[in-house]
Each structure stands twice: as C-alpha cells, then as structure tokens.
Amino acid sequence: MTRSVSIVIWCIWAVLIAGLTVGSAPDHAAVFTRDAVASDHAAASQAGAEILAAGGNAADAAAATMLALGVVNPASSGLGGGGFALYYSAEDASLTFLDFRERAPRASTRTMFDREGPRPPGPANALSQLGGLAVGVPGEPAGIEALVQRFGRLSLDKVVAPALRLAEQGFVVSEALAAMGNVFEAQLREDPVMSTWNLEEGATLKRSSLARVLRAFAQKGAAVIYGGVIGQEMVAAVQRHGGIMTLDDLRAYRVRTRKPLEATAFGHRWVTAPPPSAGGFTMVQSLLILQEAVGEDPSYGPSLLHAMVESWKGPFLDRQRYFGDPDQVILPIARMLEASRIRRRADLVDDDRAHPASDYDMPIEWTRNQLATPDDAGTSHLCVVDGEGNVASVTTTVNLPFGARFTGGGIVLNDEMDDFASAVGAANAFELVGGARNLPGPWKRPVSTMSPTIVLSGEKPVLCIGASGGSRIVTATQQVAMNILLHDMQADEAVTAPRIHHQGFPETLRVETLAPLSSALLDALRERGHDIAPIHNVANVQAIEIEHAPTRMLHAVSDPRKGGRPAGH
Ligand code: GLY
C-alpha cells in the first residue's frame, strides 16, 4: 500500500474505530466487590455478568461477553474474526495464553497483495482490506469453545444464551456502531445481510441470520462453523468475493496454547501476549528500557513521557525486522530482551532531545541455522474477574470496521490479512511497516498488536487490562497500567487521562485531541524535538483494578472513548 493511502485510512480509523466521544458515558466506571466485567458495550458486559450470576466463572463470562460483543458491535469483533485470551486460574495461579488468531488460507502466497490495480470505491479498499482475499480463516469460534471447555464450568449452550437473546430480540444501536456504519454505508449496502441493517443510533437491530448460527453453535460447538452448512456458506461467500479460503482451511484451523510473555518491571510481574502479537513484546521491552532510563519510581511529567516515547522506538523497529508467525519463523525474543541490549537502548535516551527511530536500531547477529524455519510450523477488549479470583483478559477482532465488509453464513468476515505485510517495507492500515517474515503464506498467522495483559503483585493479580485500536493498543495499555500502578491514579482517572502514541515510523508523536495534554507538557515535548501531530484518540482501554486489602474491591472501567459500561456484583 502506498504511504498516502495508508495515511488516509489511518485518519479514518483514528476518528472511528479508536473511539468517538469521551465524557459522554457517565456510567463508564463502577466498583464491585464480588465479580466484574469491563467491555466496550454495556449489553456485552451485562451478558458476562449474567453468566457469573448463573454460576459461571471468568472463562464462561468472557466467552459470553465475546459472543455478545459480536452481536452488538459487528464492526469490531465476532465469530468471523479471531483473538487472544490470557487466563489466570486462581486454583493453581497458572497463566495460559490461547491464540485463536485468524490464519491465512493455504493457497496464500508472499506476493498475493503486492500489486496495484483498480480499487472499488470507499474507504479501506486495498485487496488485503476489502473483499474475499482479505479474509483470514476465522479463529473466534474455536477460541470461544476452547476457553469454555478448558477453563469454564458451564455448557456452551448456557454461555451462548445471552448473545442469542440479543440477536433474536434485538438491541439498541450504539453511537460507536452508528458512526462506523455511517462511514462504511455504501460498502455495507452491497451485502445481502448488512444492507438490511438500520444502523441509526438508537434504532433496534435484530440479527436473525446470526441467531441461526448462534443456535447451531450452542448445540454443536465450533464444528458447525468449521465443517457444516455454515462453513460451506462462508467459503462460498469468500470465493464469490474473489477469495481463496476453502473448507479444508476451515477444517484444519487449530487454536494454539502458548506460553505468555512476561517480565518483572517497576516492582510488578507483567504477563502479556507472546508472538504472533508484537504488542506484548513492545510493552515488556518498553517497560524494561524505561526502568533503566528513569529509575524504579518515576513521577508523571515531561521527562517520563519523553522517555516513554523514546522507549517505544526500538521495539517497533524489532517488530519490523523480526516478527512473524512463531509457528513458521524463529523469533529471537530472549536475544531481543537481553539485559545488555535493554541497557544500550536505555543509555541512548537523552532527557533533552528526541532521537530519530533509526538511532535505536540494533540488529541481532544470527547464524543461518537460527534463521531457519522451525519444524512445526475492528477489535474489542474485555476483562473479567470472578468471585474465585480467576481473571480473563481477552482481545478479539475482525480488524478494520466490519472486517472485509461482507458476510458469509450470516457472519461478518474479518480482513485480518491486512495485518500481513503486502510487500517488504509496505505499511498496513495502521502504518505498521512489515518485514519479510510477516509476508502472507500458507496457514500463517499475521503479526498483531493485541496485548491482553494481567499484572501481578507477588502471587496476586492486581490488574486486568487491554485495548482495541490497531497499533495504538499497546501504547495505550501501557500508559493506563502505569497510571494505575506507578502514578496511583484511580482506575477511572487512569483510563480517561490523556494518552500519546509513537510507533517509530512515522516519526510523529500523536497526542489526543479528545483528551488533550496540558500545554506545558506539549511545550516540553516539543522542546525535546518531538514532531507532534493530533489524533482523535489513542485506542480504547478496558481495565479492572483488583484491590485485595483491606477490602476486596474491583474497580472496573470501560473506556468512555468507545462508550462501554462495566457490569458486575
Ligand atoms: N487487527 C488488529 C491487531 O491484531 O493488531
């Protein structure tokens, strides 16, 4: 994709996906004593809370919330997408990461998007973003089933019930969904299902074709989507739109269980997403660099914000150079996080001036064998804490709004293929530049920024956190977590506080117009040489802070930037 096209899409995205208004959702924060759900839609949080009240645990409630999100905000996530779940089990203090990211159809090739041609009208219209080739094999149905079967205690049909009710009886179209529907209206009009939707804010929308899928999923599980009539309809729709996904691709889809990435920094244990996410890695490396550069107890102010921006530049370069599907390329994570390398990057951080990102580039020396292939080869975040202390941190996505902007088998299909590099050095919709290791290939998972995170103090989880919003997911997640854990902000204040974003390339520091930094902070950053540009908002964060003493308190916050609301007991 050319840079100018990418920037246009980024701007559309900045205004839409990443959020709409702040301060318009007075109920966006709440304190509970037993259990809590924070998602970016009130009805979805309520679905999770209903399941908790019915005896479900955090896994059941997270699955119910995901399913409900897919009904009430089809622009952001759903059964046609995929995601990551990080699960803390209180029984044995274990942390498990489920990767149900979409993967490329088997017939995918490195050059499948490396061509320019006539484009259909409307926004986000590259081959990897709109239409059949954009669709990765969905992982969400298998991911939800795995979460419930491995960690839940209710049957799938009970977990599906709240979402099914929303689909059958209808729900009120939110401000966020209405705004996204407005921008993509002409493209949605082309689809037989989405063209029937009234997406005006406040309208009641029923989703009868999705209700049919949910009923089948409740009874028979993911196999009905990966094998049966629904799968056949999905494949037929993808192929009709010029795609290459087959029934074999669907049947062969597998959830991967991975070891979460973790680091100790600022007195806490940060547990987060491993590859194929680069988000968790970016946060972990940034925290380690920051700790070296500013000490263990930094106060909020221009020096810290400046150092944070500098700390993001190196990890985003590592992402470009090294990241790909961990099942298909070896990732030198330990080498990239070596203490000496962290120290070298921290030593480069000058308090009085910004460095160009290239100053932080530190290639790793590898032998040919280390580079060899190993043998085996629109987004929403939610947090759940249950009464037993289990925690689920889940990020789920169809990538750009309404995914590839068509449905198959009644399901909105993702356009996750845009998270691959269309060519070496080409930028995606979020201006993330991809390297050779992230070119498309058979059954490959594209690199992600999604960073579902749980932070522990000693043995106890103290924060469940994550975000939606493309490349800004990780920088937003990190800032809010630091606000809570280092700067003693209340969870609500921490989420609503102004945020900044830098991803190495472009060499621009984005600051929110929705929640503006003070002019004193802006001046201090400008004086250090940062090229500052406005952005509507930096992602949407959901968080639950877990206070254990003197009384158990769950501070649940849904980012008002997207209009969500938490629920619980
Ligand atoms: N599609 C957004 C992400 O995975 O980062």
Side-chain angles (χ1 to χ4, degrees), residues 101 379 397 399 416 419 448-450 470 473:
R101 181 119 172 109
T379 309
T397 185
N399 198 30
E416 218 66 53
D419 278 345
S448 171
T449 314
M450 295 187 293
I473 286 172

Side-chain angles (χ1 to χ4, degrees), residues 11 50 86 114 194 196 208 226 254 320 368 375 385 406 413 416 418-419 487 565:
C11 293
E50 178 183 326
L86 178 61
D114 191 10
M194 292 193 279
T196 66
S208 49
Y226 290 104
R254 296 287 178 272
Q320 277 180 35
R368 192 177 286 274
D375 291 344
V385 178
F406 68 95
L413 293 165
E416 218 66 53
D418 195 53
D419 278 345
H487 308 316
R565 190 187 304 170

Side-chain angles (χ1 to χ4, degrees), residues 20-370:
L20 298 156
T21 55
V22 74
S24 63
D27 305 325
H28 70 269
V31 182
F32 304 100
T33 52
R34 194 180 83 189
D35 51 43
V37 184
S39 80
D40 58 24
H41 197 289
S45 299
Q46 198 51 51
E50 178 183 326
I51 290 298
L52 289 168
N57 64 12
D60 300 310
T65 307
M66 276 161 87
L67 286 159
L69 280 170
V71 176
V72 298
N73 193 354
S76 292
S77 67
L79 287 170
F84 301 135
L86 178 61
Y87 194 74
Y88 172 83
S89 171
E91 195 179 13
D92 57 1
S94 61
L95 281 138
T96 308
F97 186 82
L98 295 181
D99 167 358
F100 48 98
R101 181 119 172 109
E102 302 90 328
R103 61 183 199 180
R106 187 174 209 161
S108 302
T109 66
R110 291 162 72 86
T111 54
M112 63 190 281
F113 297 122
D114 191 10
R115 56 194 153 109
E116 284 290 340
R119 292 180 176 213
N125 58 0
L127 272 179
S128 58
Q129 297 167 344
L130 174 72
L133 280 180
V135 180
V137 181
E140 187 106 340
I144 290 173
E145 187 176 67
L147 188 60
V148 172
Q149 285 180 350
R150 286 190 58 177
F151 300 108
R153 80 165 56 105
L154 298 185
S155 60
L156 202 53
D157 66 319
K158 287 208 169 59
V159 168
V160 174
L164 180 56
R165 199 173 58 235
L166 285 165
E168 282 175 336
Q169 296 178 7
F171 59 93
V172 176
V173 172
S174 67
E175 181 189 358
L177 178 57
M180 288 186 274
N182 194 26
V183 170
F184 293 92
E185 189 188 0
Q187 292 169 344
L188 303 190
R189 234 185 282 128
E190 302 290 312
D191 181 78
V193 173
M194 292 193 279
S195 59
T196 66
W197 295 351
N198 176 2
L199 291 182
E200 283 166 306
E201 185 183 349
T204 297
L205 181 61
K206 293 184 186 173
R207 298 194 53 195
S208 49
S209 50
L210 182 62
R212 162 188 161 248
V213 178
L214 289 170
R215 267 191 297 274
F217 181 62
Q219 295 310 316
K220 300 193 179 121
V224 291
I225 296 173
Y226 290 104
V229 175
I230 295 164
Q232 283 165 16
E233 289 174 7
M234 200 187 275
V235 166
V238 169
Q239 294 183 357
R240 233 181 3 259
H241 284 81
I244 51 177
M245 192 170 85
T246 64
L247 260 185
D248 282 346
D249 287 323
L250 283 180
R251 288 197 194 103
Y253 185 83
R254 296 287 178 272
V255 174
R256 299 283 283 164
T257 303
R258 302 190 192 277
K259 191 170 176 306
L261 190 64
E262 64 170 276
T264 300
F266 296 108
H268 289 90
R269 182 177 164 209
W270 303 71
V271 185
T272 186
S277 173
F281 166 82
T282 303
M283 179 163 58
V284 159
Q285 189 179 143
S286 160
L287 289 165
L288 294 172
I289 291 171
L290 262 184
Q291 188 176 243
E292 286 278 336
V294 300
E296 294 259 350
D297 191 18
S299 47
Y300 185 88
S303 284
L304 178 62
L305 290 189
H306 163 73
M308 200 184 301
V309 174
E310 295 299 288
S311 76
W312 288 327
K313 293 177 181 174
F316 271 108
L317 282 169
D318 290 342
R319 172 188 182 138
Q320 277 180 35
R321 196 187 283 271
Y322 296 116
F323 270 70
D325 181 348
D327 293 336
Q328 300 203 20
V329 294
I330 292 172
L331 286 158
I333 296 292
R335 300 278 305 279
M336 286 190 278
L337 293 176
E338 261 170 17
S340 58
R341 193 166 183 263
I342 298 290
R343 203 164 308 118
R344 271 159 59 217
R345 280 197 170 145
D347 286 347
L348 276 171
V349 177
D350 287 321
D351 184 43
D352 58 353
R353 72 180 180 110
H355 282 265
S358 55
D359 284 3
Y360 292 96
D361 198 13
M362 288 180 191
I364 288 171
E365 281 175 28
W366 276 17
T367 64
R368 192 177 286 274
N369 277 350
Q370 284 171 318

Side-chain angles (χ1 to χ4, degrees), residues 488-510:
D488 290 329
M489 289 189 201
Q490 294 292 315
D492 180 14
E493 187 193 357
V495 170
T496 49
R499 299 199 280 258
I500 57 178
H501 173 77
H502 199 296
Q503 59 187 60
F505 174 85
E507 302 257 8
T508 306
L509 174 57
R510 307 271 177 178

